[in-house]
Amino acid sequence: MFKRKIIGVLLACIALIALIQNGPTFLENRKLDRYLADDGFHAYTYDQFDESNLALFTNEDETMLGLAEMSGDGYSATTVETVDAAPFDYIELEHEGTYYWGERLNNNPQKVASLRIIGERMQGEHVLNRPEEDTFSKYHILKLHNVPQEDWTIQTLDQNGQVIDSIDL
């Protein structure tokens, strides 16, 4: 009986610590989810960067992709119509000089390891999935530190660094 009480107290402490650490993020995600659901959208994934909670979302028939942000400053969102048969759909959101990139992989997401952004004076690569671990997601939100100002190319790469798909913007 004594062991059960100790285990119960330990589990309660762990739950309390988890709630304290993740509670604000969880509540902000629920609030963001309510905003999206009220407008008829469904969130694929949530992520948090600094003081902002972000959601990558779509409409009911998945012909629109959106990126929403909720921070202490309020709520903002942007949407774009998706292209039929595109290897991936993407959207960007700029908020106070910070750029966020949302992406939905349409072709073989289990093979996509990273995303490469190539601009005239910059290049950046972001890890998306780890195919060697058999874990992958079709939906990603990234915080971009450098954003190309002119022409750019977006590429998805496999775990060997080979280009899977490429789109010129």
Side-chain angles (χ1 to χ4, degrees), residues 87-88 103-116 125-140 142 154-166:
F88 52 86
E103 181 170 36
R104 178 178 65 190
L105 301 171
N106 299 326
N107 291 349
N108 300 316
Q110 66 277 11
K111 293 182 181 177
V112 176
S114 59
L115 175 80
R116 182 183 295 152
E125 198 163 311
H126 303 271
V127 173
L128 299 182
N129 293 315
R130 301 199 182 282
E132 68 277 6
E133 297 173 5
D134 289 333
T135 59
F136 68 92
S137 175
K138 290 178 64 169
Y139 318 107
H140 303 276
L142 305 170
I154 309 299
Q155 300 174 331
T156 54
L157 308 169
D158 66 13
Q159 65 188 20
N160 299 318
Q162 301 298 312
V163 175
I164 299 172
D165 291 304
S166 183

Side-chain angles (χ1 to χ4, degrees), residues 59-88:
N59 58 346
E60 187 175 304
D61 59 2
E62 296 194 1
T63 58
M64 186 177 292
L65 188 67
L67 192 57
E69 178 200 26
M70 178 161 291
S71 66
D73 301 339
Y75 169 79
S76 64
T78 184
T79 59
V80 66
E81 289 185 26
T82 59
V83 179
D84 249 357
F88 52 86

Side-chain angles (χ1 to χ4, degrees), residues 1-159:
M1 187 67 140
F2 182 69
K3 287 182 183 180
R4 286 186 185 179
K5 287 183 180 181
I6 290 177
I7 291 172
V9 169
L10 288 175
L11 288 175
C13 289
I14 291 171
L16 183 61
I17 291 169
L19 182 62
I20 290 170
Q21 288 180 339
N22 298 318
T25 300
F26 177 79
L27 294 175
E28 288 297 317
N29 286 350
R30 296 294 62 88
K31 190 186 296 184
L32 189 53
D33 190 47
R34 267 196 317 274
Y35 277 114
L36 294 172
D38 287 348
D39 290 330
F41 295 110
H42 165 73
Y44 288 122
T45 187
Y46 296 92
D47 214 333
Q48 182 177 16
F49 296 98
D50 304 321
E51 299 297 317
S52 297
N53 287 46
L54 290 114
L56 184 63
F57 65 90
T58 189
N59 58 346
E60 187 175 304
D61 59 2
E62 296 194 1
T63 58
M64 186 177 292
L65 188 67
L67 192 57
E69 178 200 26
M70 178 161 291
S71 66
D73 301 339
Y75 169 79
S76 64
T78 184
T79 59
V80 66
E81 289 185 26
T82 59
V83 179
D84 249 357
F88 52 86
D89 297 308
Y90 60 89
I91 187 162
E92 64 179 291
L93 172 70
E94 187 264 333
H95 178 74
E96 295 181 1
T98 302
Y99 290 85
Y100 301 101
W101 177 274
E103 181 170 36
R104 178 178 65 190
L105 301 171
N106 299 326
N107 291 349
N108 300 316
Q110 66 277 11
K111 293 182 181 177
V112 176
S114 59
L115 175 80
R116 182 183 295 152
I117 301 173
I118 303 169
E120 195 171 291
R121 295 187 180 139
M122 61 81 64
Q123 179 171 320
E125 198 163 311
H126 303 271
V127 173
L128 299 182
N129 293 315
R130 301 199 182 282
E132 68 277 6
E133 297 173 5
D134 289 333
T135 59
F136 68 92
S137 175
K138 290 178 64 169
Y139 318 107
H140 303 276
I141 302 172
L142 305 170
K143 180 179 177 181
L144 303 181
H145 299 287
N146 296 315
V147 178
Q149 302 301 319
E150 300 295 324
D151 299 332
W152 27 327
T153 301
I154 309 299
Q155 300 174 331
T156 54
L157 308 169
D158 66 13
Q159 65 188 20

